[in-house]
Amino acid sequence: MPTLICDCNQTMPLQPKALGAALNENLSLHSALCRREAGAFQKAIQSGDDVVVACTQEKRLFAEVGEQTEGATSVIRFVNIRESGGWSKDAGSAMPKIAALLAAAHLPDAEPVSTVTYKSAGRLLIVGVLDKAEQVAALLSDTLDVTIFAQGVSSTAQAAFPRQERQYPVIGGGDLSLNGWLGAFEAKWTKNNPIDLDLCTRCNACVAVCPEGAIDLSYQVDNNKCTSHRDCVAVCKVAGAIDFNREPQAVTEAFDLVLDLGAQPLIALHAPPQGYFALDVSAGLASPGLLATVVKLRDMVGEFEKPKFFAYKQKLCAHSRNETVGCNACIDICSASAISSEKSRQQIVVNPNLCVGCGACTTVCPTGALTYAYPRASEQGVRLKTLLSTYAKAGGAHATLLLHSQTAGQQAVETLGRAARLQKDMQGVPANVIPLALWHTASVGLDLWLSAIAFGAAQVAVLVTDEEAPAYLEGLAEQMRVAQALLNGLGYAGVHFHLVQTQNVRDLDASLQALAKARPVVPASAARFAVAQEKRSTLDMALDHLISHAPVALPEAIELPAGGSPFGSLLVNADSCTLCLSCVSACPAAALQDNPERPQLKFIEKNCVQCGLCATTCPEDAITLQPRLLLTAQRKEARVLNETQPYQCIRCNKPFGTLKAIESMLGKLAGHAMFQGAAADRLKMCGDCRVIDIYSADNELKITDIR
């Protein structure tokens, strides 16, 4: 696969021989690949091999040249080595990182997954004050079918009246609600306005005659001001649009797109549905973000597709058993409200149309029931291993992996690189900090972070911006506390995981410089395992490597934070537990087991995901979660948490329950009138003997004796 590196005006101290040795390729530098040396690019893309171009600035130009080049069949990939390292103050030491970035760029694209389709016919609902809504509608009505839901008029309406000409359908009412997504929004409201806007001719006679000023220029009556003079009804006899005796009517209407200009957004989510936009237009057409939103809306007609970002395996899900809820991690963290509970079916439901692909649900899922599908964890693992192994091969040390988003995070990294080139007091991205763009920073968690350390990274940092919802930051921090506790407990001193939150480029520069100087303890050799799609399998392999290379003698167990731990034990109160074994049937991970031969509650700690279903199900509240990682061989073995003597039938001596359970039942029913004498003795019998005793008793009243 040819690699083309362009260093315009020789602004980077590149070493082509060192880079070529790391990539097993003869490299040559170009200084004007997009201009006078374009022939080299054209020759490369005619080879049929995938081509990597180390320049992202001229992507568009290279694409155009590729389209115009006869016989060009190569797939072209682009990678940024300039802002990410070539323009830093220690760029001379950045060859291992640049080699790693080039090697990762050679990897194939992620395998395709199933897609989610949206269809939009351009039916747009604009919600807001009428005069402002009409101003925006004028920018969109030539492309979209606009309907306005009027919410009064703005305070400046006397200086800028709404249009008298009826250009768009205008609706109104109360209790407006909205749900759905691009191409499938459903608006519901109550049509309770005494003025029928379909019949209204906008003659303004009602506005002029109302003594209380209860009717504004959106032709809706303010009931708080109206004192029932009904002068408006008298002047509207010809049109007959005003009727205060009209019954409120529930209305539902479908739209493809929604532009919400109201004071309070109808959908107050950090990640609203596709096709929904909420803006503050208090500054009119000069309002920030309005122009960009208008451009987006004009393009949202037709059929659109996005990847289905998640995969769900119900059999692994710890959300619910027997309609009892245990784990709610994915539901609680989703900023798009795309995940809901279906506890009657022992599962969660993810709406793919609402899912924005952040992957936070997969990060906090303790079992791996939810996994990130595009790209898959296995594909991300290959990328991590390629980056870190190439970096080490090229002579790099103390690698820090910087995970960031493809949008705001990428922009922050590139801004830092340009600032370092132009300003003497800025350092830029350090030589040992390797940026890696993700679709979303919340999509990678504990399994891949620990794998990165096993593969040779000294630190993993996640760069977050205003894109991330507060719940995502809390979730990432919680997972990092668990990961750090694991490493420190294994004897790897220092801080290995960082959540980098910066407000400006100088803060980012200072944060990355501090990271570059840190030297936490890491395994002596890099792991070679392949990241699996199953989260628990990857965690086990990463931990096995970290445990086998631990720098100190290992403790028996590592205590973990209570929040977010996917590992742990259970503490059972033997005095309270009756061995009813309801916890065994509730456990989704087969961590709790019974013994068919005798009354025992057994536990395999390796299988436990700390979902809490057992504790929630236990009728005696006898179970407590104990987050920890057990490091002895007992972790993988079944051990007895509680056991008791079996209770034998007083008639046939056959064991049919536990001593504690029968004693508990007898104690609770001792004062009950129906369980005295012989009836109380039957509680001590097995099912067969109980039936025999009932039918053999001479003084027992039978149903056949009742006449």
Side-chain angles (χ1 to χ4, degrees):
M1 181 184 294
T3 302
L4 303 177
I5 301 178
C6 184
D7 182 14
C8 299
N9 294 321
Q10 298 181 343
T11 58
M12 296 182 287
L14 296 176
Q15 302 166 17
K17 289 186 178 181
L19 294 174
L23 298 173
N24 298 319
E25 183 181 352
N26 292 323
L27 295 180
S28 59
L29 297 183
H30 300 271
S31 59
L33 188 63
C34 59
R35 299 293 190 271
R36 66 175 182 273
E37 295 176 319
F41 169 73
Q42 292 178 302
K43 182 179 179 181
I45 62 176
Q46 289 172 330
S47 67
D49 296 328
D50 291 359
V51 175
V52 172
V53 178
C55 174
T56 54
Q57 177 177 301
E58 300 295 344
K59 268 186 181 182
R60 181 176 177 180
L61 178 57
F62 282 119
E64 292 175 353
V65 172
E67 291 175 358
Q68 297 169 8
T69 301
E70 185 176 350
T73 58
S74 296
V75 174
I76 308 170
R77 296 190 176 91
F78 298 91
V79 58
N80 184 340
I81 64 171
R82 190 175 65 182
E83 283 86 355
S84 59
W87 275 358
S88 70
K89 290 298 188 288
D90 56 353
S93 305
M95 293 311 105
K97 173 173 67 174
I98 292 175
L101 294 174
L102 292 171
H106 284 74
L107 295 174
D109 295 332
E111 288 291 323
V113 294
S114 58
T115 58
V116 180
T117 302
Y118 300 93
K119 294 181 180 180
S120 169
R123 298 168 300 173
L124 170 65
L125 175 66
I126 301 179
V127 179
V129 294
L130 183 57
D131 49 307
K132 296 290 178 61
E134 286 181 335
Q135 288 180 336
V136 178
L139 304 176
L140 296 164
S141 59
D142 62 321
T143 303
L144 304 175
D145 181 10
V146 177
T147 299
I148 296 176
F149 190 97
Q151 294 181 325
V153 292
S154 65
S155 58
T156 59
Q158 298 305 318
F161 291 99
R163 295 177 182 271
Q164 189 69 27
E165 178 185 358
R166 193 192 300 271
Q167 290 185 310
Y168 323 102
V170 178
I171 55 180
D175 303 322
L176 176 63
S177 64
L178 182 72
N179 61 70
W181 50 83
L182 174 62
F185 283 107
E186 184 180 72
K188 296 181 179 180
W189 70 95
T190 303
K191 194 175 180 181
N192 55 5
N193 182 20
I195 302 177
D196 189 327
L197 297 180
D198 292 329
L199 297 177
C200 177
T201 62
R202 300 191 180 185
C203 67
N204 296 325
C206 59
V207 179
V209 76
C210 180
E212 300 92 359
I215 304 175
D216 61 22
L217 292 175
S218 67
Y219 309 107
Q220 299 183 69
V221 178
D222 185 342
N223 292 322
N224 294 323
K225 295 180 179 179
C226 179
T227 56
S228 304
H229 283 87
R230 302 298 186 259
D231 293 350
C232 54
V233 178
V235 298
C236 194
K237 288 183 178 179
V238 176
I242 306 178
D243 182 1
F244 282 87
N245 296 319
R246 185 185 297 114
E247 289 293 327
Q249 179 184 0
V251 182
T252 300
E253 195 166 339
F255 297 94
D256 299 308
L257 302 159
V258 177
L259 177 57
D260 189 350
L261 309 178
Q264 297 294 329
L266 295 171
I267 300 178
L269 296 173
H270 188 274
Q274 301 280 346
Y276 173 84
F277 302 89
L279 287 175
D280 176 8
V281 290
S282 55
L285 296 181
S287 300
L290 178 59
L291 180 58
T293 302
V294 167
V295 172
K296 287 181 183 178
L297 284 168
R298 292 177 65 89
D299 286 338
M300 299 186 79
V301 179
E303 188 169 312
F304 307 90
E305 288 186 344
K306 72 174 183 182
K308 184 181 177 183
F309 289 100
F310 65 91
Y312 176 59
K313 293 182 179 179
Q314 180 186 357
K315 66 180 182 180
L316 299 178
C317 185
H319 170 61
S320 173
R321 286 292 186 277
N322 304 323
E323 297 194 25
T324 298
V325 174
C327 176
N328 256 341
C330 59
I331 297 174
D332 293 340
I333 203 170
C334 181
S335 68
S337 289
I339 307 177
S340 57
S341 170
E342 207 171 72
K343 64 180 182 180
S344 61
R345 298 181 63 188
Q346 302 183 166
Q347 66 179 15
I348 51 98
V349 177
V350 185
N351 187 327
N353 295 286
L354 293 176
C355 174
V356 297
C358 66
C361 56
T362 67
T363 294
V364 299
C365 178
T367 65
L370 275 170
T371 55
Y372 205 64
Y374 189 76
R376 297 176 177 87
S378 55
E379 293 166 331
Q380 290 284 37
V382 171
R383 188 166 296 276
L384 292 178
K385 189 183 291 186
T386 300
L387 281 168
L388 295 168
S389 62
T390 305
Y391 178 81
K393 179 182 177 182
H398 311 295
T400 294
L401 201 63
L402 179 65
L403 307 178
H404 60 81
S405 70
Q406 294 177 336
T407 49
Q410 181 75 40
Q411 183 179 357
V413 171
E414 292 180 355
T415 300
L416 176 57
R418 289 193 296 273
R421 171 67 179 163
L422 298 174
Q423 301 177 36
K424 293 183 178 181
D425 60 340
M426 301 290 285
Q427 300 299 312
V429 182
N432 65 331
V433 175
I434 308 173
L436 176 60
L438 305 173
W439 175 267
H440 199 287
T441 52
S443 65
V444 172
L446 191 66
D447 52 338
L448 287 173
W449 295 341
L450 290 175
S451 295
I453 300 298
F455 290 150
Q459 299 174 98
V460 176
V462 180
L463 173 60
V464 294
T465 63
D466 292 339
E467 288 180 316
E468 285 80 10
Y472 295 170
L473 302 184
E474 183 179 342
L476 288 170
E478 187 177 75
Q479 291 286 296
M480 283 187 174
R481 285 192 290 270
V482 173
Q484 192 61 64
L486 285 168
L487 286 184
N488 291 156
L490 292 172
Y492 297 101
V495 179
H496 302 77
F497 304 100
H498 306 268
L499 199 60
V500 180
Q501 297 176 266
T502 59
Q503 300 297 322
N504 54 61
V505 68
R506 291 192 178 276
D507 288 345
L508 177 58
D509 192 37
S511 297
L512 295 187
Q513 292 303 316
L515 288 178
K517 297 174 183 177
R519 296 292 183 266
V521 178
V522 294
S525 61
R528 301 179 63 182
F529 66 84
V531 169
Q533 188 62 18
E534 294 77 23
K535 183 174 187 176
R536 301 291 293 194
S537 297
T538 299
L539 280 171
D540 286 342
M541 289 186 289
L543 286 172
D544 285 345
H545 179 82
L546 294 168
I547 290 171
S548 63
H549 291 82
V552 298
L554 295 176
E556 181 178 324
I558 301 171
E559 298 301 319
L560 298 177
S565 173
F567 308 109
S569 181
L570 299 178
L571 299 176
V572 175
N573 187 332
D575 294 331
S576 302
C577 175
T578 61
L579 281 175
C580 67
L581 301 181
S582 58
C583 55
V584 174
S585 62
C587 181
L592 286 167
Q593 300 176 353
D594 63 352
N595 186 342
E597 303 299 326
R598 56 185 304 175
Q600 282 185 337
L601 176 62
K602 302 170 73 176
F603 177 65
I604 302 176
E605 187 160 337
K606 178 179 179 292
N607 294 348
C608 182
V609 297
Q610 297 284 286
C611 65
L613 266 169
C614 55
T616 306
T617 302
C618 180
E620 312 297 341
D621 293 328
I623 299 177
T624 304
L625 302 181
Q626 184 186 22
R628 71 174 188 179
L629 178 66
L630 185 64
L631 298 177
T632 65
Q634 193 181 25
R635 178 171 180 262
K636 299 179 181 180
E637 301 170 355
R639 69 176 188 267
V640 177
L641 293 182
N642 193 20
E643 61 181 331
T644 188
Q645 294 296 321
Y647 189 88
Q648 295 178 323
C649 174
I650 61 174
R651 185 184 178 108
C652 69
N653 290 326
K654 182 177 71 176
F656 71 96
T658 67
L659 177 63
K660 185 166 289 187
I662 300 301
E663 288 179 345
S664 176
M665 178 178 63
L666 292 173
K668 291 178 180 179
L669 297 176
H672 199 288
M674 290 186 64
F675 296 98
Q676 303 296 321
D681 288 339
R682 291 190 188 111
L683 295 175
K684 305 173 186 178
M685 300 178 188
C686 66
D688 293 338
C689 291
R690 194 175 301 132
V691 173
I692 293 171
D693 188 70
I694 290 174
Y695 277 90
S696 61
D698 295 334
N699 60 347
E700 192 74 27
L701 181 65
K702 301 178 177 61
I703 189 68
T704 54
D705 298 331
I706 300 176
R707 294 288 186 267

